[in-house]
Amino acid sequence: MRKNLLWAVVVVATALLQTTWLDAIRLQGVLPDLTLLLVLYFAMFHGEERAMFTGLLGGLYQDVAGNALLGHHILCHALIGFWVARLARRLITEHPAVKAGIVLMASVVHGTLYTGIQYVQTPDMSALQTIFSTVMPGAFYTALVTPLVFFVLSRALRFDEEAFQGGQTP
Amino acid sequence: MALSRRISEHRPVIVLLVIVALSLVSMAGGKRAGFIGEGVRIAVSATSYPFLKAMKSIQGAAGYVTGLVFSYNACRKEAETARRKLADAMQYAVQRNELLQENHRLRQMIDFARTEQRFALEAAEVIESFKGATVTIDCGSLRGIAESMCAVTENGVVGIVTRVGPFSATVVTLRNAECRIGAMIARNRVRGIVQGSGSDISPYCSMNYIDMKDDVQPGDRVVASPESLFPTGYPIGRVVAVHETGSLWKSADVEPAVNPYRLDEIFIVRETAPSADELAGPTPAEPITATLPDDRPLQERLAP
């Protein structure tokens, strides 16, 4: 119960940060995706179920806060969380650069997926331009802050690290 | 049993499929906010409000502090610019007030020149004033000004032109002891001579040579007499005090109608229309009858 509560607090707080204070570090209109980072963190260290539920909660928050279609962020986060969790099982290294590389790749895939869904909804948008002008720099920015965010998350969740281990579901 | 085991084995995939399915259904519905979304949105707004407020406050404080450090020069320049603009604006306001007052005075002068048909007037600007006793005006002989011409304003007598140059002239005012004007009390035409006090302290001039039997009261209007250079009846001032000297004459303190200290523009009377007495000419004298000496003999003069 305690770990679930802590998990929920962390997810909601991260989503809050993403939708409010993160504007302060916006560079050239590009923001790091903290919620996605959280999903990837749980995907890499706690399994796909935790990652998907993180994506569900965080994505729900982002959809509501950003007035997007309900399910848009959720779908992307859940898919990416599942995929990265499956991928992370095969990793044989803990090197931070590798994790940052995975985050970069996952961010690009996530952004492309998000833009693709958006393109289906509004075909008159320029999907390629959005990918190159927003998704790619955003993915790079997200990958850049990965070590810091992962370090903070590991510190914040260290008391329940053992409980989180093993892919236990909320 | 086997089904539950299979479900347990593939739970992540099932969860994924459920989430994906729900998301797709929700997106296919095309609603941005259903009843769930609305409730969640309210909760999100409520929870994010303190964060947003805190962020605004922190941003404001940070901006203020960094502004103190980094924008010091800009602020100083801005303050200097503002100060300069304020000084310009104040100067402009003073100039505007001055122009308004000048406009008002000139309008009064124009009205006076239009209504006063008895005189040919020459407007002049005071360019220098020495203690109010002597003023220099900006027109001289080239504009027809001559010595002994009268200087007036629409309120009354100013003084007399004493020195004339080509471009300027000097007027002695009723503050100057050398200025003497034939005057009379408007109420009963009692004559006297108004003379400047010559004092820097007293604002009054004196009316001298008033017969001790004549009636002069404080408050009487003093005007130019027919014997003076000034147009008859033109206001000089008002009696404020009468002094009995114990001799054959008495004197009175007169407050001039025009304060020479406050002169900016004056009129010089170049020509005065003749009065009715002058137009009528002198009264015919008695015919002169010369009495010739009687040269008849005494007998003839005395004969019956």
Side-chain angles (χ1 to χ4, degrees):
Chain A
M1 183 64 189
R2 187 185 165 196
K3 64 179 172 40
N4 290 335
L5 192 64
L6 183 63
W7 165 79
V9 167
V10 168
V11 174
V12 172
T14 307
L16 266 173
L17 277 176
Q18 179 72 43
T19 51
T20 55
W21 287 6
L22 218 63
D23 256 7
I25 58 168
R26 186 187 288 272
L27 289 178
Q28 301 289 323
V30 175
L31 277 176
D33 194 339
L34 283 190
T35 313
L36 178 65
L37 266 181
L38 199 64
V39 170
L40 297 178
Y41 176 82
F42 282 114
M44 281 188 228
F45 299 106
H46 302 291
E48 56 263 75
E49 273 190 54
R50 180 71 66 177
M52 283 189 291
F53 282 114
T54 304
L56 174 66
L57 189 56
L60 178 68
Y61 196 102
Q62 280 185 302
D63 281 341
V64 173
N67 198 25
L69 280 176
L70 207 58
H72 197 162
H73 278 99
I74 296 171
L75 179 63
C76 298
H77 286 329
L79 284 173
I80 291 297
F82 183 82
W83 173 64
V84 170
R86 286 291 169 97
L87 184 68
R89 281 184 187 173
R90 293 171 174 78
L91 280 181
I92 54 169
T93 177
E94 290 290 321
H95 199 281
V98 175
K99 290 175 189 168
I102 292 175
V103 168
L104 176 65
M105 192 169 56
S107 296
V108 171
V109 174
H110 173 269
T112 309
L113 186 63
Y114 185 91
T115 310
I117 294 172
Q118 205 171 12
Y119 181 71
V120 171
Q121 293 162 0
T122 51
D124 53 339
M125 70 171 286
S126 176
L128 277 178
Q129 188 186 351
T130 306
I131 288 172
F132 283 112
S133 64
T134 308
V135 173
M136 303 294 274
F140 187 76
Y141 199 176
T142 307
L144 208 62
V145 298
T146 299
L148 176 67
V149 174
F150 277 18
F151 174 76
V152 171
L153 283 173
S154 65
R155 287 288 174 183
L157 300 170
R158 73 179 184 276
F159 300 112
D160 288 285
E161 204 64 32
E162 287 179 5
F164 275 122
Q165 293 298 338
Q168 292 182 29
T169 55
Chain B
M1 192 66 184
L3 181 65
S4 65
R5 200 183 69 215
R6 285 175 71 87
I7 290 173
S8 178
E9 282 176 0
H10 297 94
R11 206 168 71 168
V13 179
I14 293 168
V15 169
L16 176 68
L17 289 176
V18 170
I19 291 174
V20 169
L22 287 175
S23 299
L24 288 175
V25 168
S26 170
M27 283 194 292
K31 290 184 179 176
R32 290 189 179 272
F35 64 98
I36 299 172
E38 194 60 38
V40 174
R41 181 169 290 117
I42 291 169
V44 168
S45 301
T47 50
S48 62
Y49 178 74
F51 283 83
L52 289 170
K53 289 292 286 182
M55 188 179 72
K56 277 285 175 194
S57 304
I58 292 170
Q59 278 181 343
Y64 178 74
V65 172
T66 53
L68 284 179
V69 178
F70 295 111
S71 307
Y72 175 72
N73 282 333
C75 287
R76 199 176 61 180
K77 280 182 184 172
E78 193 176 340
E80 281 178 10
T81 309
R83 207 175 295 130
R84 202 174 299 123
K85 281 185 179 176
L86 178 65
D88 287 346
M90 287 177 70
Q91 193 176 353
Y92 175 76
V94 168
Q95 195 176 358
R96 181 179 168 277
N97 283 337
E98 188 64 29
L99 286 173
L100 279 175
Q101 288 178 7
E102 185 180 0
N103 184 32
H104 179 67
R105 288 197 311 270
L106 292 177
R107 280 178 186 280
Q108 283 183 334
M109 290 178 71
I110 288 171
D111 288 344
F112 174 69
R114 279 182 184 158
T115 54
E116 200 59 76
Q117 300 291 333
R118 291 179 296 165
F119 324 131
L121 298 170
E122 181 72 32
E125 187 181 354
V126 173
I127 54 177
E128 189 188 7
S129 173
F130 180 72
K131 294 182 179 180
T134 307
V135 293
T136 306
I137 56 175
D138 67 342
C139 57
S141 57
L142 290 178
R143 282 171 63 181
I145 306 300
E147 285 183 6
S148 301
M149 281 185 169
C150 308
V152 298
T153 68
E154 64 274 19
N155 296 322
V157 168
V158 173
I160 302 168
V161 177
T162 54
R163 281 196 299 274
V164 179
F167 303 104
S168 64
T170 304
V171 175
V172 291
T173 69
L174 284 172
R175 279 288 169 87
N176 198 314
E178 294 178 8
C179 182
R180 295 183 183 85
I181 300 171
M184 64 182 180
I185 302 296
R187 176 168 58 86
N188 51 14
R189 302 183 76 79
V190 167
R191 299 296 205 272
I193 292 178
V194 171
Q195 184 176 6
S197 65
S199 165
D200 293 340
I201 301 170
S202 171
Y204 302 134
C205 48
S206 57
M207 184 174 176
N208 300 322
Y209 305 113
I210 304 169
D211 194 293
M212 60 177 294
K213 294 175 186 171
D214 288 333
D215 175 30
V216 177
Q217 301 289 333
D220 281 345
R221 257 180 2 104
V222 180
V223 297
S225 69
E227 299 84 19
S228 72
L229 294 170
F230 288 85
T232 305
Y234 205 73
I236 294 175
R238 191 172 290 276
V239 175
V240 292
V242 180
H243 303 291
E244 303 285 350
T245 58
S247 62
L248 293 176
W249 311 106
K250 58 183 175 184
S251 65
D253 287 342
V254 176
E255 182 184 20
V258 178
N259 186 348
Y261 273 115
R262 296 180 183 172
L263 288 175
D264 289 306
E265 296 91 12
I266 60 174
F267 285 114
I268 303 298
V269 182
R270 294 204 304 190
E271 196 178 336
T272 310
S275 63
D277 291 344
E278 290 174 82
L279 286 172
T283 51
E286 291 292 325
I288 299 170
T289 53
T291 307
L292 295 173
D294 194 356
D295 52 353
R296 289 177 298 168
L298 190 62
Q299 184 179 5
E300 190 178 340
R301 275 189 282 164
L302 297 176

